[in-house]
Amino acid sequence: MIEADREVYPLHVVEGLQAKGVVVASKNWKEKNPLPLPAQFLMQSGLVMTRKGSGVEYRLISLWPINKRNYGASDFEKKGLGVVLNQPTKPYTGIVEEGGKSYFRAVYADRAVAQACIGCHNSHPESPKRDFKINDVMGGIVISIPVK
């Protein structure tokens, strides 16, 4: 479902509305009322899931994030990014122990599905990588689910 949203929003909402001149996507969406960028949309959705209290969490991570907070934070995430970069059709999964609790974690490849993604990352002044093409792995979506 997350992967479907990650494809539908940039292609059909952002690019569709921008092409018609209706509205644009911008990193300043909260202040200026444009659409959130695709990465911001996913991150905001992840925050809503966290607030719901189910314990299910997800977020974007990358080896080349524009926002430094989105680097892989743990050894599991860093290894997962390396795996999905080389094998993007297969998620990197495992059970992780944190704070006395167990979590199923998975890192799925996050691909450049739309020109909106590529244009932002390739032109952003703080982007450490500027040669993305359609279907390139830009990073990963890490999902965490508590194990009872």
Side-chain angles (χ1 to χ4, degrees):
M1 185 170 58
I2 296 167
E3 195 171 39
D5 287 348
R6 191 75 173 126
E7 185 173 320
V8 169
Y9 181 74
L11 283 173
H12 301 288
V13 177
V14 174
E15 286 191 352
L17 292 174
Q18 286 183 160
K20 293 176 182 173
V22 175
V23 67
V24 297
S26 169
K27 70 177 182 175
N28 300 322
W29 65 278
K30 286 185 179 180
E31 295 86 29
K32 297 185 178 181
N33 294 320
L35 293 171
L37 294 169
Q40 292 169 318
F41 181 83
L42 183 126
M43 296 299 267
Q44 290 298 310
S45 298
L47 291 173
V48 169
M49 285 298 296
T50 299
R51 283 197 309 265
K52 296 282 183 184
S54 68
V56 175
E57 296 182 357
Y58 61 89
R59 64 188 182 86
L60 288 172
I61 58 175
S62 179
L63 297 170
W64 318 279
I66 291 173
N67 184 331
K68 305 302 181 226
R69 291 178 295 180
N70 297 335
Y71 273 113
S74 66
D75 289 339
F76 179 88
E77 291 178 0
K78 291 173 189 167
K79 184 172 182 181
L81 283 169
V83 169
V84 299
L85 182 61
N86 294 310
Q87 297 175 326
T89 60
K90 183 179 178 186
Y92 177 75
T93 63
I95 302 295
V96 176
E97 303 288 329
E98 282 183 1
K101 296 182 180 179
S102 298
Y103 299 88
F104 170 78
R105 291 251 165 89
V107 177
Y108 290 84
D110 185 46
R111 294 178 182 259
V113 297
Q115 188 58 44
C117 305
I118 295 165
C120 182
H121 280 264
N122 287 349
S123 66
H124 196 284
E126 295 177 37
S127 182
K129 181 172 168 58
R130 297 173 185 226
D131 61 350
F132 288 110
K133 298 177 296 303
I134 287 290
N135 213 32
D136 281 355
V137 175
M138 298 181 83
I141 299 170
V142 61
I143 300 170
S144 180
I145 302 170
V147 178
K148 295 185 181 202

mmCIF file of all heavy atoms in Angstrom, residues 53-98:
data_model
loop_
_atom_site.group_PDB
_atom_site.id
_atom_site.type_symbol
_atom_site.label_atom_id
_atom_site.label_comp_id
_atom_site.label_asym_id
_atom_site.label_seq_id
_atom_site.Cartn_x
_atom_site.Cartn_y
_atom_site.Cartn_z
ATOM 1 N N GLY A 53 -0.657 5.059 17.333
ATOM 2 C CA GLY A 53 -0.302 4.205 18.450
ATOM 3 C C GLY A 53 -0.303 2.709 18.191
ATOM 4 O O GLY A 53 -0.216 1.925 19.128
ATOM 5 N N SER A 54 -0.382 2.293 16.947
ATOM 6 C CA SER A 54 -0.388 0.861 16.644
ATOM 7 C C SER A 54 1.003 0.237 16.779
ATOM 8 O O SER A 54 1.143 -0.972 16.842
ATOM 9 C CB SER A 54 -0.900 0.620 15.218
ATOM 10 O OG SER A 54 0.030 1.126 14.280
ATOM 11 N N GLY A 55 2.025 1.084 16.798
ATOM 12 C CA GLY A 55 3.401 0.609 16.833
ATOM 13 C C GLY A 55 3.995 0.450 15.449
ATOM 14 O O GLY A 55 5.198 0.286 15.301
ATOM 15 N N VAL A 56 3.149 0.487 14.402
ATOM 16 C CA VAL A 56 3.635 0.405 13.027
ATOM 17 C C VAL A 56 4.201 1.774 12.642
ATOM 18 O O VAL A 56 3.540 2.794 12.830
ATOM 19 C CB VAL A 56 2.505 0.004 12.050
ATOM 20 C CG1 VAL A 56 2.988 0.037 10.610
ATOM 21 C CG2 VAL A 56 1.957 -1.368 12.418
ATOM 22 N N GLU A 57 5.424 1.763 12.147
ATOM 23 C CA GLU A 57 6.067 3.007 11.733
ATOM 24 C C GLU A 57 6.741 2.812 10.388
ATOM 25 O O GLU A 57 7.185 1.706 10.068
ATOM 26 C CB GLU A 57 7.117 3.438 12.760
ATOM 27 C CG GLU A 57 6.530 3.761 14.119
ATOM 28 C CD GLU A 57 7.573 4.227 15.130
ATOM 29 O OE1 GLU A 57 8.778 4.254 14.791
ATOM 30 O OE2 GLU A 57 7.175 4.561 16.246
ATOM 31 N N TYR A 58 6.822 3.885 9.609
ATOM 32 C CA TYR A 58 7.577 3.846 8.361
ATOM 33 C C TYR A 58 8.104 5.235 8.043
ATOM 34 O O TYR A 58 7.538 6.234 8.460
ATOM 35 C CB TYR A 58 6.766 3.262 7.200
ATOM 36 C CG TYR A 58 5.508 4.003 6.834
ATOM 37 C CD1 TYR A 58 5.527 5.036 5.901
ATOM 38 C CD2 TYR A 58 4.285 3.651 7.391
ATOM 39 C CE1 TYR A 58 4.366 5.703 5.553
ATOM 40 C CE2 TYR A 58 3.129 4.298 7.041
ATOM 41 C CZ TYR A 58 3.172 5.329 6.117
ATOM 42 O OH TYR A 58 2.024 5.977 5.772
ATOM 43 N N ARG A 59 9.221 5.236 7.304
ATOM 44 C CA ARG A 59 9.839 6.493 6.907
ATOM 45 C C ARG A 59 10.801 6.236 5.756
ATOM 46 O O ARG A 59 11.148 5.093 5.462
ATOM 47 C CB ARG A 59 10.564 7.154 8.073
ATOM 48 C CG ARG A 59 11.737 6.378 8.608
ATOM 49 C CD ARG A 59 12.294 7.015 9.894
ATOM 50 N NE ARG A 59 13.445 6.278 10.355
ATOM 51 C CZ ARG A 59 14.683 6.471 9.957
ATOM 52 N NH1 ARG A 59 14.970 7.401 9.076
ATOM 53 N NH2 ARG A 59 15.677 5.753 10.433
ATOM 54 N N LEU A 60 11.224 7.307 5.127
ATOM 55 C CA LEU A 60 12.200 7.231 4.049
ATOM 56 C C LEU A 60 13.609 7.320 4.610
ATOM 57 O O LEU A 60 13.858 8.084 5.556
ATOM 58 C CB LEU A 60 12.006 8.393 3.065
ATOM 59 C CG LEU A 60 10.791 8.331 2.177
ATOM 60 C CD1 LEU A 60 10.650 9.645 1.405
ATOM 61 C CD2 LEU A 60 10.896 7.172 1.209
ATOM 62 N N ILE A 61 14.516 6.564 4.016
ATOM 63 C CA ILE A 61 15.927 6.660 4.346
ATOM 64 C C ILE A 61 16.716 6.616 3.038
ATOM 65 O O ILE A 61 16.208 6.161 2.019
ATOM 66 C CB ILE A 61 16.391 5.544 5.307
ATOM 67 C CG1 ILE A 61 16.120 4.159 4.710
ATOM 68 C CG2 ILE A 61 15.738 5.702 6.675
ATOM 69 C CD1 ILE A 61 16.664 2.996 5.553
ATOM 70 N N SER A 62 17.939 7.114 3.077
ATOM 71 C CA SER A 62 18.740 7.126 1.856
ATOM 72 C C SER A 62 20.219 7.214 2.190
ATOM 73 O O SER A 62 20.600 7.671 3.263
ATOM 74 C CB SER A 62 18.337 8.323 0.983
ATOM 75 O OG SER A 62 19.111 8.363 -0.196
ATOM 76 N N LEU A 63 21.011 6.791 1.230
ATOM 77 C CA LEU A 63 22.458 7.002 1.310
ATOM 78 C C LEU A 63 22.811 8.414 0.855
ATOM 79 O O LEU A 63 23.902 8.897 1.101
ATOM 80 C CB LEU A 63 23.194 5.978 0.431
ATOM 81 C CG LEU A 63 23.032 4.520 0.834
ATOM 82 C CD1 LEU A 63 23.599 3.605 -0.241
ATOM 83 C CD2 LEU A 63 23.709 4.265 2.172
ATOM 84 N N TRP A 64 21.844 9.086 0.167
ATOM 85 C CA TRP A 64 22.060 10.437 -0.370
ATOM 86 C C TRP A 64 20.882 11.340 -0.057
ATOM 87 O O TRP A 64 20.289 11.940 -0.950
ATOM 88 C CB TRP A 64 22.233 10.384 -1.893
ATOM 89 C CG TRP A 64 23.073 9.261 -2.364
ATOM 90 C CD1 TRP A 64 24.435 9.211 -2.381
ATOM 91 C CD2 TRP A 64 22.625 8.012 -2.890
ATOM 92 N NE1 TRP A 64 24.853 8.014 -2.880
ATOM 93 C CE2 TRP A 64 23.758 7.250 -3.211
ATOM 94 C CE3 TRP A 64 21.361 7.464 -3.139
ATOM 95 C CZ2 TRP A 64 23.675 5.979 -3.753
ATOM 96 C CZ3 TRP A 64 21.279 6.192 -3.669
ATOM 97 C CH2 TRP A 64 22.430 5.474 -3.971
ATOM 98 N N PRO A 65 20.505 11.498 1.211
ATOM 99 C CA PRO A 65 19.318 12.303 1.505
ATOM 100 C C PRO A 65 19.588 13.802 1.370
ATOM 101 O O PRO A 65 20.698 14.273 1.644
ATOM 102 C CB PRO A 65 19.016 11.951 2.958
ATOM 103 C CG PRO A 65 20.356 11.672 3.551
ATOM 104 C CD PRO A 65 21.125 10.980 2.434
ATOM 105 N N ILE A 66 18.574 14.511 0.962
ATOM 106 C CA ILE A 66 18.651 15.972 0.987
ATOM 107 C C ILE A 66 18.562 16.429 2.439
ATOM 108 O O ILE A 66 19.310 17.291 2.871
ATOM 109 C CB ILE A 66 17.528 16.593 0.132
ATOM 110 C CG1 ILE A 66 17.798 16.296 -1.348
ATOM 111 C CG2 ILE A 66 17.420 18.090 0.375
ATOM 112 C CD1 ILE A 66 16.679 16.703 -2.280
ATOM 113 N N ASN A 67 17.645 15.836 3.189
ATOM 114 C CA ASN A 67 17.501 16.117 4.615
ATOM 115 C C ASN A 67 18.364 15.120 5.380
ATOM 116 O O ASN A 67 18.106 13.914 5.343
ATOM 117 C CB ASN A 67 16.028 15.994 5.018
ATOM 118 C CG ASN A 67 15.778 16.353 6.459
ATOM 119 O OD1 ASN A 67 16.644 16.185 7.314
ATOM 120 N ND2 ASN A 67 14.597 16.837 6.733
ATOM 121 N N LYS A 68 19.362 15.605 6.068
ATOM 122 C CA LYS A 68 20.345 14.737 6.739
ATOM 123 C C LYS A 68 19.707 13.791 7.761
ATOM 124 O O LYS A 68 20.279 12.758 8.089
ATOM 125 C CB LYS A 68 21.434 15.569 7.418
ATOM 126 C CG LYS A 68 22.147 16.536 6.470
ATOM 127 C CD LYS A 68 22.784 15.837 5.295
ATOM 128 C CE LYS A 68 23.497 16.813 4.401
ATOM 129 N NZ LYS A 68 23.258 16.650 2.993
ATOM 130 N N ARG A 69 18.520 14.124 8.264
ATOM 131 C CA ARG A 69 17.840 13.234 9.215
ATOM 132 C C ARG A 69 17.395 11.934 8.562
ATOM 133 O O ARG A 69 17.026 10.992 9.253
ATOM 134 C CB ARG A 69 16.616 13.929 9.816
ATOM 135 C CG ARG A 69 16.971 15.073 10.750
ATOM 136 C CD ARG A 69 15.736 15.730 11.257
ATOM 137 N NE ARG A 69 15.062 16.357 10.099
ATOM 138 C CZ ARG A 69 13.932 17.021 10.172
ATOM 139 N NH1 ARG A 69 13.304 17.148 11.304
ATOM 140 N NH2 ARG A 69 13.405 17.566 9.091
ATOM 141 N N ASN A 70 17.434 11.870 7.237
ATOM 142 C CA ASN A 70 16.942 10.698 6.528
ATOM 143 C C ASN A 70 18.034 9.714 6.120
ATOM 144 O O ASN A 70 17.793 8.824 5.317
ATOM 145 C CB ASN A 70 16.121 11.134 5.312
ATOM 146 C CG ASN A 70 14.893 11.903 5.718
ATOM 147 O OD1 ASN A 70 14.385 11.743 6.820
ATOM 148 N ND2 ASN A 70 14.414 12.753 4.854
ATOM 149 N N TYR A 71 19.248 9.886 6.669
ATOM 150 C CA TYR A 71 20.273 8.851 6.492
ATOM 151 C C TYR A 71 19.804 7.596 7.220
ATOM 152 O O TYR A 71 19.017 7.681 8.167
ATOM 153 C CB TYR A 71 21.608 9.281 7.121
ATOM 154 C CG TYR A 71 22.486 10.087 6.219
ATOM 155 C CD1 TYR A 71 22.753 11.409 6.494
ATOM 156 C CD2 TYR A 71 23.077 9.520 5.088
ATOM 157 C CE1 TYR A 71 23.571 12.164 5.656
ATOM 158 C CE2 TYR A 71 23.896 10.260 4.253
ATOM 159 C CZ TYR A 71 24.136 11.582 4.551
ATOM 160 O OH TYR A 71 24.941 12.311 3.719
ATOM 161 N N GLY A 72 20.296 6.446 6.815
ATOM 162 C CA GLY A 72 20.038 5.233 7.575
ATOM 163 C C GLY A 72 20.572 5.429 8.987
ATOM 164 O O GLY A 72 21.735 5.792 9.161
ATOM 165 N N ALA A 73 19.724 5.233 9.998
ATOM 166 C CA ALA A 73 20.095 5.561 11.374
ATOM 167 C C ALA A 73 20.774 4.418 12.127
ATOM 168 O O ALA A 73 21.508 4.639 13.067
ATOM 169 C CB ALA A 73 18.854 6.015 12.144
ATOM 170 N N SER A 74 20.525 3.195 11.705
ATOM 171 C CA SER A 74 21.059 2.041 12.428
ATOM 172 C C SER A 74 21.870 1.168 11.474
ATOM 173 O O SER A 74 21.816 1.334 10.257
ATOM 174 C CB SER A 74 19.907 1.219 13.013
ATOM 175 O OG SER A 74 19.141 0.652 11.957
ATOM 176 N N ASP A 75 22.596 0.213 12.046
ATOM 177 C CA ASP A 75 23.333 -0.738 11.206
ATOM 178 C C ASP A 75 22.370 -1.512 10.310
ATOM 179 O O ASP A 75 22.666 -1.772 9.148
ATOM 180 C CB ASP A 75 24.142 -1.713 12.072
ATOM 181 C CG ASP A 75 25.326 -1.037 12.743
ATOM 182 O OD1 ASP A 75 25.773 0.039 12.263
ATOM 183 O OD2 ASP A 75 25.820 -1.587 13.744
ATOM 184 N N PHE A 76 21.199 -1.871 10.852
ATOM 185 C CA PHE A 76 20.201 -2.588 10.062
ATOM 186 C C PHE A 76 19.781 -1.754 8.845
ATOM 187 O O PHE A 76 19.723 -2.258 7.725
ATOM 188 C CB PHE A 76 18.973 -2.920 10.924
ATOM 189 C CG PHE A 76 17.892 -3.639 10.164
ATOM 190 C CD1 PHE A 76 17.901 -5.015 10.065
ATOM 191 C CD2 PHE A 76 16.879 -2.928 9.525
ATOM 192 C CE1 PHE A 76 16.910 -5.687 9.345
ATOM 193 C CE2 PHE A 76 15.897 -3.580 8.798
ATOM 194 C CZ PHE A 76 15.908 -4.970 8.717
ATOM 195 N N GLU A 77 19.480 -0.475 9.062
ATOM 196 C CA GLU A 77 19.044 0.395 7.968
ATOM 197 C C GLU A 77 20.151 0.608 6.943
ATOM 198 O O GLU A 77 19.898 0.578 5.737
ATOM 199 C CB GLU A 77 18.550 1.733 8.512
ATOM 200 C CG GLU A 77 17.240 1.601 9.276
ATOM 201 C CD GLU A 77 16.761 2.905 9.871
ATOM 202 O OE1 GLU A 77 17.430 3.953 9.708
ATOM 203 O OE2 GLU A 77 15.693 2.890 10.515
ATOM 204 N N LYS A 78 21.368 0.800 7.414
ATOM 205 C CA LYS A 78 22.488 1.009 6.482
ATOM 206 C C LYS A 78 22.734 -0.235 5.635
ATOM 207 O O LYS A 78 22.922 -0.146 4.427
ATOM 208 C CB LYS A 78 23.746 1.390 7.262
ATOM 209 C CG LYS A 78 23.656 2.768 7.884
ATOM 210 C CD LYS A 78 24.832 3.038 8.791
ATOM 211 C CE LYS A 78 24.595 4.322 9.576
ATOM 212 N NZ LYS A 78 25.536 4.487 10.671
ATOM 213 N N LYS A 79 22.701 -1.402 6.267
ATOM 214 C CA LYS A 79 22.880 -2.642 5.521
ATOM 215 C C LYS A 79 21.716 -2.844 4.548
ATOM 216 O O LYS A 79 21.911 -3.227 3.393
ATOM 217 C CB LYS A 79 22.992 -3.837 6.460
ATOM 218 C CG LYS A 79 23.275 -5.125 5.711
ATOM 219 C CD LYS A 79 23.588 -6.272 6.634
ATOM 220 C CE LYS A 79 23.894 -7.507 5.791
ATOM 221 N NZ LYS A 79 24.177 -8.670 6.630
ATOM 222 N N GLY A 80 20.499 -2.555 5.006
ATOM 223 C CA GLY A 80 19.322 -2.682 4.162
ATOM 224 C C GLY A 80 19.393 -1.802 2.924
ATOM 225 O O GLY A 80 19.033 -2.232 1.822
ATOM 226 N N LEU A 81 19.882 -0.576 3.074
ATOM 227 C CA LEU A 81 20.040 0.312 1.919
ATOM 228 C C LEU A 81 21.012 -0.273 0.909
ATOM 229 O O LEU A 81 20.772 -0.224 -0.300
ATOM 230 C CB LEU A 81 20.511 1.693 2.366
ATOM 231 C CG LEU A 81 19.447 2.588 2.992
ATOM 232 C CD1 LEU A 81 20.090 3.811 3.626
ATOM 233 C CD2 LEU A 81 18.401 2.995 1.971
ATOM 234 N N GLY A 82 22.107 -0.833 1.390
ATOM 235 C CA GLY A 82 23.072 -1.453 0.485
ATOM 236 C C GLY A 82 22.479 -2.634 -0.259
ATOM 237 O O GLY A 82 22.709 -2.806 -1.457
ATOM 238 N N VAL A 83 21.675 -3.436 0.441
ATOM 239 C CA VAL A 83 21.065 -4.606 -0.176
ATOM 240 C C VAL A 83 20.058 -4.189 -1.245
ATOM 241 O O VAL A 83 20.087 -4.686 -2.369
ATOM 242 C CB VAL A 83 20.404 -5.517 0.887
ATOM 243 C CG1 VAL A 83 19.535 -6.581 0.232
ATOM 244 C CG2 VAL A 83 21.479 -6.164 1.760
ATOM 245 N N VAL A 84 19.150 -3.254 -0.929
ATOM 246 C CA VAL A 84 18.121 -2.889 -1.909
ATOM 247 C C VAL A 84 18.698 -2.079 -3.069
ATOM 248 O O VAL A 84 18.121 -2.075 -4.157
ATOM 249 C CB VAL A 84 16.908 -2.157 -1.276
ATOM 250 C CG1 VAL A 84 16.233 -3.050 -0.252
ATOM 251 C CG2 VAL A 84 17.279 -0.814 -0.691
ATOM 252 N N LEU A 85 19.820 -1.451 -2.871
ATOM 253 C CA LEU A 85 20.485 -0.755 -3.971
ATOM 254 C C LEU A 85 20.946 -1.767 -5.020
ATOM 255 O O LEU A 85 20.830 -1.536 -6.220
ATOM 256 C CB LEU A 85 21.674 0.057 -3.453
ATOM 257 C CG LEU A 85 22.435 0.885 -4.472
ATOM 258 C CD1 LEU A 85 21.533 1.933 -5.116
ATOM 259 C CD2 LEU A 85 23.617 1.575 -3.810
ATOM 260 N N ASN A 86 21.447 -2.908 -4.557
ATOM 261 C CA ASN A 86 21.942 -3.950 -5.457
ATOM 262 C C ASN A 86 20.880 -4.963 -5.873
ATOM 263 O O ASN A 86 21.025 -5.614 -6.909
ATOM 264 C CB ASN A 86 23.129 -4.674 -4.814
ATOM 265 C CG ASN A 86 24.318 -3.758 -4.665
ATOM 266 O OD1 ASN A 86 24.718 -3.093 -5.615
ATOM 267 N ND2 ASN A 86 24.873 -3.694 -3.466
ATOM 268 N N GLN A 87 19.842 -5.128 -5.054
ATOM 269 C CA GLN A 87 18.753 -6.069 -5.349
ATOM 270 C C GLN A 87 17.414 -5.375 -5.072
ATOM 271 O O GLN A 87 16.741 -5.682 -4.087
ATOM 272 C CB GLN A 87 18.875 -7.314 -4.487
ATOM 273 C CG GLN A 87 20.127 -8.118 -4.726
ATOM 274 C CD GLN A 87 20.226 -9.286 -3.745
ATOM 275 O OE1 GLN A 87 19.812 -9.207 -2.604
ATOM 276 N NE2 GLN A 87 20.769 -10.386 -4.230
ATOM 277 N N PRO A 88 17.007 -4.424 -5.913
ATOM 278 C CA PRO A 88 15.836 -3.597 -5.607
ATOM 279 C C PRO A 88 14.495 -4.325 -5.593
ATOM 280 O O PRO A 88 13.531 -3.805 -5.039
ATOM 281 C CB PRO A 88 15.851 -2.525 -6.699
ATOM 282 C CG PRO A 88 16.741 -3.025 -7.753
ATOM 283 C CD PRO A 88 17.672 -4.002 -7.136
ATOM 284 N N THR A 89 14.417 -5.522 -6.120
ATOM 285 C CA THR A 89 13.133 -6.231 -6.114
ATOM 286 C C THR A 89 12.923 -7.055 -4.851
ATOM 287 O O THR A 89 11.837 -7.602 -4.640
ATOM 288 C CB THR A 89 13.012 -7.164 -7.334
ATOM 289 O OG1 THR A 89 14.073 -8.115 -7.304
ATOM 290 C CG2 THR A 89 13.057 -6.373 -8.632
ATOM 291 N N LYS A 90 13.938 -7.126 -4.008
ATOM 292 C CA LYS A 90 13.852 -7.945 -2.800
ATOM 293 C C LYS A 90 14.077 -7.067 -1.562
ATOM 294 O O LYS A 90 15.123 -6.433 -1.429
ATOM 295 C CB LYS A 90 14.915 -9.045 -2.851
ATOM 296 C CG LYS A 90 14.863 -9.996 -1.698
ATOM 297 C CD LYS A 90 15.916 -11.074 -1.818
ATOM 298 C CE LYS A 90 15.855 -11.969 -0.603
ATOM 299 N NZ LYS A 90 16.926 -12.942 -0.568
ATOM 300 N N PRO A 91 13.106 -7.039 -0.630
ATOM 301 C CA PRO A 91 13.324 -6.252 0.588
ATOM 302 C C PRO A 91 14.354 -6.909 1.497
ATOM 303 O O PRO A 91 14.550 -8.129 1.451
ATOM 304 C CB PRO A 91 11.946 -6.230 1.256
ATOM 305 C CG PRO A 91 11.263 -7.448 0.755
ATOM 306 C CD PRO A 91 11.796 -7.693 -0.635
ATOM 307 N N TYR A 92 14.998 -6.089 2.311
ATOM 308 C CA TYR A 92 15.905 -6.570 3.342
ATOM 309 C C TYR A 92 15.084 -6.627 4.623
ATOM 310 O O TYR A 92 14.492 -5.626 5.034
ATOM 311 C CB TYR A 92 17.083 -5.614 3.482
ATOM 312 C CG TYR A 92 18.034 -5.985 4.583
ATOM 313 C CD1 TYR A 92 18.911 -7.054 4.430
ATOM 314 C CD2 TYR A 92 18.067 -5.272 5.771
ATOM 315 C CE1 TYR A 92 19.790 -7.409 5.436
ATOM 316 C CE2 TYR A 92 18.961 -5.610 6.784
ATOM 317 C CZ TYR A 92 19.807 -6.677 6.608
ATOM 318 O OH TYR A 92 20.682 -7.023 7.609
ATOM 319 N N THR A 93 15.001 -7.800 5.257
ATOM 320 C CA THR A 93 14.129 -7.972 6.422
ATOM 321 C C THR A 93 14.877 -8.597 7.591
ATOM 322 O O THR A 93 15.909 -9.243 7.414
ATOM 323 C CB THR A 93 12.916 -8.859 6.083
ATOM 324 O OG1 THR A 93 13.382 -10.164 5.730
ATOM 325 C CG2 THR A 93 12.099 -8.276 4.941
ATOM 326 N N GLY A 94 14.318 -8.417 8.777
ATOM 327 C CA GLY A 94 14.872 -9.045 9.958
ATOM 328 C C GLY A 94 14.081 -8.678 11.203
ATOM 329 O O GLY A 94 13.190 -7.829 11.165
ATOM 330 N N ILE A 95 14.423 -9.329 12.301
ATOM 331 C CA ILE A 95 13.862 -9.017 13.612
ATOM 332 C C ILE A 95 14.907 -8.211 14.366
ATOM 333 O O ILE A 95 16.074 -8.607 14.443
ATOM 334 C CB ILE A 95 13.499 -10.290 14.403
ATOM 335 C CG1 ILE A 95 12.487 -11.158 13.638
ATOM 336 C CG2 ILE A 95 12.977 -9.931 15.800
ATOM 337 C CD1 ILE A 95 11.121 -10.529 13.441
ATOM 338 N N VAL A 96 14.477 -7.067 14.894
ATOM 339 C CA VAL A 96 15.378 -6.155 15.598
ATOM 340 C C VAL A 96 14.886 -6.005 17.036
ATOM 341 O O VAL A 96 13.689 -5.859 17.277
ATOM 342 C CB VAL A 96 15.406 -4.773 14.899
ATOM 343 C CG1 VAL A 96 16.249 -3.786 15.667
ATOM 344 C CG2 VAL A 96 15.888 -4.919 13.464
ATOM 345 N N GLU A 97 15.815 -6.050 17.974
ATOM 346 C CA GLU A 97 15.493 -5.848 19.392
ATOM 347 C C GLU A 97 15.846 -4.413 19.773
ATOM 348 O O GLU A 97 16.972 -3.968 19.542
ATOM 349 C CB GLU A 97 16.289 -6.823 20.270
ATOM 350 C CG GLU A 97 16.087 -8.297 19.947
ATOM 351 C CD GLU A 97 14.731 -8.810 20.366
ATOM 352 O OE1 GLU A 97 14.164 -8.311 21.351
ATOM 353 O OE2 GLU A 97 14.229 -9.718 19.673
ATOM 354 N N GLU A 98 14.874 -3.708 20.361
ATOM 355 C CA GLU A 98 15.111 -2.334 20.843
ATOM 356 C C GLU A 98 14.330 -2.116 22.122
ATOM 357 O O GLU A 98 13.124 -2.363 22.157
ATOM 358 C CB GLU A 98 14.659 -1.299 19.806
ATOM 359 C CG GLU A 98 15.611 -1.111 18.676
ATOM 360 C CD GLU A 98 15.138 -0.010 17.719
ATOM 361 O OE1 GLU A 98 14.085 0.605 17.966
ATOM 362 O OE2 GLU A 98 15.827 0.202 16.720
#
